[in-house]
mmCIF file of all heavy atoms in Angstrom:
data_model
loop_
_atom_site.group_PDB
_atom_site.id
_atom_site.type_symbol
_atom_site.label_atom_id
_atom_site.label_comp_id
_atom_site.label_asym_id
_atom_site.label_seq_id
_atom_site.Cartn_x
_atom_site.Cartn_y
_atom_site.Cartn_z
ATOM 1 N N ASP A 1 26.321 311.084 217.793
ATOM 2 C CA ASP A 1 26.302 312.458 218.201
ATOM 3 C C ASP A 1 25.194 313.169 217.819
ATOM 4 O O ASP A 1 24.996 314.422 217.948
ATOM 5 C CB ASP A 1 27.633 313.134 217.610
ATOM 6 C CG ASP A 1 27.552 313.145 216.074
ATOM 7 O OD1 ASP A 1 26.788 312.291 215.476
ATOM 8 O OD2 ASP A 1 28.066 314.102 215.474
ATOM 9 N N LEU A 2 24.142 312.474 217.300
ATOM 10 C CA LEU A 2 23.073 313.111 216.661
ATOM 11 C C LEU A 2 21.742 312.619 217.074
ATOM 12 O O LEU A 2 21.415 311.314 217.315
ATOM 13 C CB LEU A 2 23.147 312.799 215.152
ATOM 14 C CG LEU A 2 22.079 313.496 214.241
ATOM 15 C CD1 LEU A 2 22.106 314.902 214.254
ATOM 16 C CD2 LEU A 2 22.266 312.875 212.800
ATOM 17 N N GLY A 3 20.750 313.562 217.461
ATOM 18 C CA GLY A 3 19.393 313.130 217.765
ATOM 19 C C GLY A 3 18.477 314.020 217.022
ATOM 20 O O GLY A 3 18.850 314.910 216.470
ATOM 21 N N GLU A 4 17.157 313.543 217.211
ATOM 22 C CA GLU A 4 16.133 314.391 216.562
ATOM 23 C C GLU A 4 15.035 314.835 217.602
ATOM 24 O O GLU A 4 14.573 313.863 218.378
ATOM 25 C CB GLU A 4 15.489 313.414 215.400
ATOM 26 C CG GLU A 4 14.406 314.175 214.763
ATOM 27 C CD GLU A 4 13.565 313.370 213.711
ATOM 28 O OE1 GLU A 4 13.830 312.097 213.652
ATOM 29 O OE2 GLU A 4 12.762 313.954 212.974
ATOM 30 N N VAL A 5 14.602 315.972 217.529
ATOM 31 C CA VAL A 5 13.500 316.342 218.245
ATOM 32 C C VAL A 5 12.321 315.966 217.393
ATOM 33 O O VAL A 5 12.023 316.470 216.277
ATOM 34 C CB VAL A 5 13.397 317.978 218.461
ATOM 35 C CG1 VAL A 5 12.144 318.376 219.244
ATOM 36 C CG2 VAL A 5 14.554 318.353 219.274
ATOM 37 N N ARG A 6 11.353 315.275 217.894
ATOM 38 C CA ARG A 6 10.270 314.704 217.323
ATOM 39 C C ARG A 6 8.837 315.008 218.062
ATOM 40 O O ARG A 6 8.877 315.151 219.221
ATOM 41 C CB ARG A 6 10.307 313.229 217.131
ATOM 42 C CG ARG A 6 11.282 312.561 216.251
ATOM 43 C CD ARG A 6 11.300 311.148 216.062
ATOM 44 N NE ARG A 6 12.146 310.720 215.157
ATOM 45 C CZ ARG A 6 12.333 309.340 214.749
ATOM 46 N NH1 ARG A 6 11.568 308.520 215.420
ATOM 47 N NH2 ARG A 6 13.172 309.096 213.852
ATOM 48 N N THR A 7 7.881 315.072 217.260
ATOM 49 C CA THR A 7 6.437 315.048 217.830
ATOM 50 C C THR A 7 6.381 316.164 218.875
ATOM 51 O O THR A 7 5.826 315.975 219.960
ATOM 52 C CB THR A 7 6.090 313.617 218.374
ATOM 53 O OG1 THR A 7 6.478 312.593 217.598
ATOM 54 C CG2 THR A 7 4.523 313.601 218.502
ATOM 55 N N LEU A 8 6.932 317.329 218.540
ATOM 56 C CA LEU A 8 6.789 318.462 219.563
ATOM 57 C C LEU A 8 5.363 319.122 219.277
ATOM 58 O O LEU A 8 5.023 319.531 218.195
ATOM 59 C CB LEU A 8 7.866 319.369 219.225
ATOM 60 C CG LEU A 8 7.778 320.744 220.076
ATOM 61 C CD1 LEU A 8 8.163 320.304 221.657
ATOM 62 C CD2 LEU A 8 8.847 321.724 219.649
ATOM 63 N N LEU A 9 4.465 318.928 220.291
ATOM 64 C CA LEU A 9 3.083 319.454 220.272
ATOM 65 C C LEU A 9 2.801 320.225 221.464
ATOM 66 O O LEU A 9 3.293 319.984 222.622
ATOM 67 C CB LEU A 9 2.159 318.314 220.226
ATOM 68 C CG LEU A 9 2.281 317.372 219.008
ATOM 69 C CD1 LEU A 9 1.427 316.020 219.440
ATOM 70 C CD2 LEU A 9 1.712 318.082 217.825
ATOM 71 N N VAL A 10 1.979 321.295 221.451
ATOM 72 C CA VAL A 10 1.516 322.040 222.516
ATOM 73 C C VAL A 10 0.023 322.345 222.300
ATOM 74 O O VAL A 10 -0.389 322.718 221.218
ATOM 75 C CB VAL A 10 2.177 323.514 222.676
ATOM 76 C CG1 VAL A 10 1.647 324.292 223.844
ATOM 77 C CG2 VAL A 10 3.716 323.200 222.927
ATOM 78 N N ALA A 11 -0.717 321.968 223.276
ATOM 79 C CA ALA A 11 -2.300 322.275 223.237
ATOM 80 C C ALA A 11 -2.512 323.674 222.829
ATOM 81 O O ALA A 11 -1.844 324.670 223.227
ATOM 82 C CB ALA A 11 -2.903 321.881 224.609
ATOM 83 N N ASP A 12 -3.593 324.030 221.977
ATOM 84 C CA ASP A 12 -3.968 325.248 221.529
ATOM 85 C C ASP A 12 -4.001 326.243 222.683
ATOM 86 O O ASP A 12 -3.574 327.421 222.619
ATOM 87 C CB ASP A 12 -5.214 325.321 220.757
ATOM 88 C CG ASP A 12 -5.034 324.581 219.391
ATOM 89 O OD1 ASP A 12 -3.767 324.501 218.966
ATOM 90 O OD2 ASP A 12 -5.971 324.290 218.656
ATOM 91 N N ASP A 13 -4.632 325.902 223.837
ATOM 92 C CA ASP A 13 -4.902 326.771 224.906
ATOM 93 C C ASP A 13 -3.582 327.221 225.592
ATOM 94 O O ASP A 13 -3.608 328.125 226.361
ATOM 95 C CB ASP A 13 -5.797 326.141 226.023
ATOM 96 C CG ASP A 13 -7.120 325.971 225.509
ATOM 97 O OD1 ASP A 13 -7.468 326.552 224.399
ATOM 98 O OD2 ASP A 13 -7.976 325.237 226.081
ATOM 99 N N TRP A 14 -2.507 326.433 225.293
ATOM 100 C CA TRP A 14 -1.252 326.701 225.962
ATOM 101 C C TRP A 14 -0.189 327.293 225.112
ATOM 102 O O TRP A 14 0.962 327.440 225.488
ATOM 103 C CB TRP A 14 -0.732 325.545 226.704
ATOM 104 C CG TRP A 14 -1.545 325.107 227.892
ATOM 105 C CD1 TRP A 14 -2.673 324.367 227.896
ATOM 106 C CD2 TRP A 14 -1.200 325.484 229.213
ATOM 107 N NE1 TRP A 14 -3.187 324.278 229.166
ATOM 108 C CE2 TRP A 14 -2.236 324.865 230.007
ATOM 109 C CE3 TRP A 14 -0.161 326.247 229.796
ATOM 110 C CZ2 TRP A 14 -2.211 325.153 231.457
ATOM 111 C CZ3 TRP A 14 -0.194 326.446 231.118
ATOM 112 C CH2 TRP A 14 -1.129 325.885 231.977
ATOM 113 N N LEU A 15 -0.537 327.535 223.873
ATOM 114 C CA LEU A 15 0.421 328.124 222.897
ATOM 115 C C LEU A 15 0.962 329.446 223.378
ATOM 116 O O LEU A 15 0.079 330.287 223.969
ATOM 117 C CB LEU A 15 -0.134 328.360 221.568
ATOM 118 C CG LEU A 15 -0.525 326.989 220.763
ATOM 119 C CD1 LEU A 15 -1.256 327.270 219.384
ATOM 120 C CD2 LEU A 15 0.943 326.255 220.438
ATOM 121 N N HIS A 16 2.043 329.844 223.125
ATOM 122 C CA HIS A 16 2.842 331.184 223.422
ATOM 123 C C HIS A 16 2.759 331.356 224.839
ATOM 124 O O HIS A 16 2.679 332.641 225.395
ATOM 125 C CB HIS A 16 1.940 332.273 222.737
ATOM 126 C CG HIS A 16 1.919 332.076 221.121
ATOM 127 N ND1 HIS A 16 2.942 332.024 220.354
ATOM 128 C CD2 HIS A 16 0.785 331.738 220.504
ATOM 129 C CE1 HIS A 16 2.443 331.744 219.129
ATOM 130 N NE2 HIS A 16 1.175 331.592 219.178
ATOM 131 N N ARG A 17 2.970 330.403 225.684
ATOM 132 C CA ARG A 17 3.088 330.374 227.195
ATOM 133 C C ARG A 17 4.362 329.727 227.660
ATOM 134 O O ARG A 17 4.465 329.456 228.719
ATOM 135 C CB ARG A 17 1.832 329.948 227.835
ATOM 136 C CG ARG A 17 0.600 330.757 227.391
ATOM 137 C CD ARG A 17 -0.653 330.202 227.785
ATOM 138 N NE ARG A 17 -1.014 330.153 229.206
ATOM 139 C CZ ARG A 17 -2.108 329.636 229.715
ATOM 140 N NH1 ARG A 17 -3.005 329.219 228.898
ATOM 141 N NH2 ARG A 17 -2.216 329.644 231.048
ATOM 142 N N GLY A 18 5.297 329.479 226.792
ATOM 143 C CA GLY A 18 6.467 328.981 227.252
ATOM 144 C C GLY A 18 6.609 327.429 227.195
ATOM 145 O O GLY A 18 7.674 326.872 227.622
ATOM 146 N N VAL A 19 5.547 326.756 226.889
ATOM 147 C CA VAL A 19 5.455 325.295 226.964
ATOM 148 C C VAL A 19 6.401 324.717 226.028
ATOM 149 O O VAL A 19 7.270 323.724 226.370
ATOM 150 C CB VAL A 19 3.985 324.756 226.809
ATOM 151 C CG1 VAL A 19 4.021 323.199 226.913
ATOM 152 C CG2 VAL A 19 3.132 325.293 227.991
ATOM 153 N N GLY A 20 6.302 325.014 224.906
ATOM 154 C CA GLY A 20 7.253 324.453 223.729
ATOM 155 C C GLY A 20 8.664 324.673 224.019
ATOM 156 O O GLY A 20 9.521 323.813 223.871
ATOM 157 N N ARG A 21 8.930 325.919 224.399
ATOM 158 C CA ARG A 21 10.367 326.261 224.867
ATOM 159 C C ARG A 21 10.804 325.356 225.859
ATOM 160 O O ARG A 21 11.896 324.783 225.953
ATOM 161 C CB ARG A 21 10.450 327.704 225.216
ATOM 162 C CG ARG A 21 11.866 328.201 225.564
ATOM 163 C CD ARG A 21 12.000 329.482 226.021
ATOM 164 N NE ARG A 21 11.258 329.674 227.349
ATOM 165 C CZ ARG A 21 10.274 330.636 227.604
ATOM 166 N NH1 ARG A 21 9.996 331.365 226.553
ATOM 167 N NH2 ARG A 21 9.616 330.596 228.607
ATOM 168 N N ALA A 22 10.110 325.160 227.002
ATOM 169 C CA ALA A 22 10.357 324.384 228.050
ATOM 170 C C ALA A 22 10.631 322.867 227.666
ATOM 171 O O ALA A 22 11.540 322.268 228.207
ATOM 172 C CB ALA A 22 9.311 324.382 229.235
ATOM 173 N N ILE A 23 9.826 322.356 226.829
ATOM 174 C CA ILE A 23 9.941 320.958 226.390
ATOM 175 C C ILE A 23 11.338 320.810 225.515
ATOM 176 O O ILE A 23 12.024 319.917 225.700
ATOM 177 C CB ILE A 23 8.833 320.496 225.582
ATOM 178 C CG1 ILE A 23 7.495 320.484 226.448
ATOM 179 C CG2 ILE A 23 9.079 319.307 224.861
ATOM 180 C CD1 ILE A 23 6.151 320.304 225.575
ATOM 181 N N VAL A 24 11.534 321.749 224.665
ATOM 182 C CA VAL A 24 12.786 321.751 223.733
ATOM 183 C C VAL A 24 13.963 321.822 224.749
ATOM 184 O O VAL A 24 14.943 321.153 224.626
ATOM 185 C CB VAL A 24 12.712 322.769 222.755
ATOM 186 C CG1 VAL A 24 14.150 322.850 221.990
ATOM 187 C CG2 VAL A 24 11.630 322.440 221.628
ATOM 188 N N GLU A 25 14.010 322.819 225.686
ATOM 189 C CA GLU A 25 15.162 322.942 226.647
ATOM 190 C C GLU A 25 15.359 321.654 227.362
ATOM 191 O O GLU A 25 16.568 321.216 227.509
ATOM 192 C CB GLU A 25 14.859 324.127 227.671
ATOM 193 C CG GLU A 25 15.009 325.545 226.846
ATOM 194 C CD GLU A 25 14.704 326.653 227.720
ATOM 195 O OE1 GLU A 25 14.168 326.417 228.846
ATOM 196 O OE2 GLU A 25 14.698 327.725 227.299
ATOM 197 N N ALA A 26 14.312 320.890 227.814
ATOM 198 C CA ALA A 26 14.423 319.778 228.582
ATOM 199 C C ALA A 26 14.963 318.644 227.640
ATOM 200 O O ALA A 26 15.890 317.753 228.021
ATOM 201 C CB ALA A 26 13.118 319.224 229.156
ATOM 202 N N LEU A 27 14.489 318.500 226.414
ATOM 203 C CA LEU A 27 15.069 317.588 225.391
ATOM 204 C C LEU A 27 16.437 317.829 225.153
ATOM 205 O O LEU A 27 17.190 316.868 224.970
ATOM 206 C CB LEU A 27 14.230 317.571 224.076
ATOM 207 C CG LEU A 27 12.752 317.029 224.222
ATOM 208 C CD1 LEU A 27 11.990 317.470 223.041
ATOM 209 C CD2 LEU A 27 12.654 315.631 224.499
ATOM 210 N N GLU A 28 16.870 319.067 224.992
ATOM 211 C CA GLU A 28 18.173 319.380 224.830
ATOM 212 C C GLU A 28 19.085 318.902 226.006
ATOM 213 O O GLU A 28 20.197 318.410 225.778
ATOM 214 C CB GLU A 28 18.469 320.934 224.633
ATOM 215 C CG GLU A 28 17.970 321.364 223.178
ATOM 216 C CD GLU A 28 18.244 322.824 223.024
ATOM 217 O OE1 GLU A 28 18.968 323.516 223.800
ATOM 218 O OE2 GLU A 28 17.626 323.313 222.014
ATOM 219 N N ALA A 29 18.730 319.088 227.245
ATOM 220 C CA ALA A 29 19.372 318.721 228.394
ATOM 221 C C ALA A 29 19.451 317.096 228.323
ATOM 222 O O ALA A 29 20.608 316.641 228.720
ATOM 223 C CB ALA A 29 18.631 319.023 229.697
ATOM 224 N N ASN A 30 18.530 316.391 228.015
ATOM 225 C CA ASN A 30 18.495 314.990 227.891
ATOM 226 C C ASN A 30 19.547 314.601 226.881
ATOM 227 O O ASN A 30 20.292 313.680 226.981
ATOM 228 C CB ASN A 30 17.237 314.346 227.477
ATOM 229 C CG ASN A 30 16.259 314.429 228.511
ATOM 230 O OD1 ASN A 30 16.581 314.790 229.728
ATOM 231 N ND2 ASN A 30 14.955 314.050 228.330
ATOM 232 N N ALA A 31 19.624 315.362 225.614
ATOM 233 C CA ALA A 31 20.546 315.073 224.618
ATOM 234 C C ALA A 31 21.955 315.188 225.058
ATOM 235 O O ALA A 31 22.859 314.299 224.731
ATOM 236 C CB ALA A 31 20.286 315.955 223.456
ATOM 237 N N ARG A 32 22.211 316.261 225.788
ATOM 238 C CA ARG A 32 23.544 316.486 226.435
ATOM 239 C C ARG A 32 23.836 315.409 227.387
ATOM 240 O O ARG A 32 25.071 314.745 227.356
ATOM 241 C CB ARG A 32 23.673 317.806 227.158
ATOM 242 C CG ARG A 32 23.724 318.957 226.123
ATOM 243 C CD ARG A 32 23.888 320.237 226.933
ATOM 244 N NE ARG A 32 23.669 321.380 226.066
ATOM 245 C CZ ARG A 32 22.614 322.089 225.791
ATOM 246 N NH1 ARG A 32 21.503 321.748 226.410
ATOM 247 N NH2 ARG A 32 22.673 323.111 224.906
ATOM 248 N N GLU A 33 23.027 314.932 228.169
ATOM 249 C CA GLU A 33 23.288 313.775 229.182
ATOM 250 C C GLU A 33 23.645 312.475 228.287
ATOM 251 O O GLU A 33 24.392 311.652 228.702
ATOM 252 C CB GLU A 33 21.976 313.428 229.979
ATOM 253 C CG GLU A 33 21.741 314.373 231.009
ATOM 254 C CD GLU A 33 22.746 314.125 232.153
ATOM 255 O OE1 GLU A 33 23.030 313.081 232.565
ATOM 256 O OE2 GLU A 33 23.312 315.270 232.653
ATOM 257 N N LEU A 34 23.047 312.339 227.046
ATOM 258 C CA LEU A 34 23.309 311.127 226.302
ATOM 259 C C LEU A 34 24.628 311.340 225.472
ATOM 260 O O LEU A 34 25.042 310.457 224.749
ATOM 261 C CB LEU A 34 22.099 310.866 225.268
ATOM 262 C CG LEU A 34 20.910 310.355 226.135
ATOM 263 C CD1 LEU A 34 19.769 310.359 225.075
ATOM 264 C CD2 LEU A 34 21.135 309.015 226.657
ATOM 265 N N GLY A 35 25.297 312.499 225.583
ATOM 266 C CA GLY A 35 26.473 312.817 224.827
ATOM 267 C C GLY A 35 26.304 313.239 223.399
ATOM 268 O O GLY A 35 27.136 313.237 222.568
ATOM 269 N N LEU A 36 25.110 313.513 223.056
ATOM 270 C CA LEU A 36 24.774 314.199 221.787
ATOM 271 C C LEU A 36 25.262 315.513 221.611
ATOM 272 O O LEU A 36 25.162 316.389 222.539
ATOM 273 C CB LEU A 36 23.231 314.087 221.409
ATOM 274 C CG LEU A 36 22.606 312.690 221.491
ATOM 275 C CD1 LEU A 36 21.125 312.838 221.253
ATOM 276 C CD2 LEU A 36 23.334 311.658 220.693
ATOM 277 N N THR A 37 25.800 315.855 220.365
ATOM 278 C CA THR A 37 26.293 317.313 220.145
ATOM 279 C C THR A 37 25.540 317.877 219.082
ATOM 280 O O THR A 37 25.677 319.026 218.857
ATOM 281 C CB THR A 37 27.715 317.247 219.701
ATOM 282 O OG1 THR A 37 27.899 316.327 218.599
ATOM 283 C CG2 THR A 37 28.617 316.636 220.907
ATOM 284 N N ARG A 38 24.510 317.244 218.389
ATOM 285 C CA ARG A 38 23.706 317.825 217.417
ATOM 286 C C ARG A 38 22.280 317.383 217.473
ATOM 287 O O ARG A 38 21.970 316.158 217.707
ATOM 288 C CB ARG A 38 24.307 317.547 215.950
ATOM 289 C CG ARG A 38 25.686 318.092 215.729
ATOM 290 C CD ARG A 38 26.110 317.668 214.385
ATOM 291 N NE ARG A 38 26.291 316.271 213.994
ATOM 292 C CZ ARG A 38 26.220 315.717 212.787
ATOM 293 N NH1 ARG A 38 26.224 316.481 211.767
ATOM 294 N NH2 ARG A 38 26.200 314.501 212.706
ATOM 295 N N LEU A 39 21.411 318.280 217.365
ATOM 296 C CA LEU A 39 20.014 317.940 217.240
ATOM 297 C C LEU A 39 19.319 318.431 215.856
ATOM 298 O O LEU A 39 19.621 319.491 215.442
ATOM 299 C CB LEU A 39 19.098 318.649 218.371
ATOM 300 C CG LEU A 39 19.354 317.990 219.774
ATOM 301 C CD1 LEU A 39 18.452 318.899 220.652
ATOM 302 C CD2 LEU A 39 18.764 316.619 219.704
#
């Protein structure tokens, strides 16, 4: 039921433009697909 978000990086030029948020949201969607309930 448990996964880890690892190696989350955003290029300096792209910071504060929603890139990190979009990556985390997509990772969470993948976690749900795998049946994980905690990250």
Side-chain angles (χ1 to χ4, degrees):
D1 64 334
L2 180 65
E4 179 183 7
V5 173
R6 291 184 171 179
T7 321
L8 182 64
L9 300 167
V10 176
D12 288 343
D13 293 349
W14 286 86
L15 288 172
H16 309 291
R17 294 166 72 178
V19 176
R21 180 183 67 237
I23 293 168
V24 171
E25 287 173 356
L27 291 171
E28 286 180 11
N30 288 356
R32 285 183 186 94
E33 284 287 316
L34 292 169
L36 304 180
T37 58
R38 299 182 298 161
L39 279 181

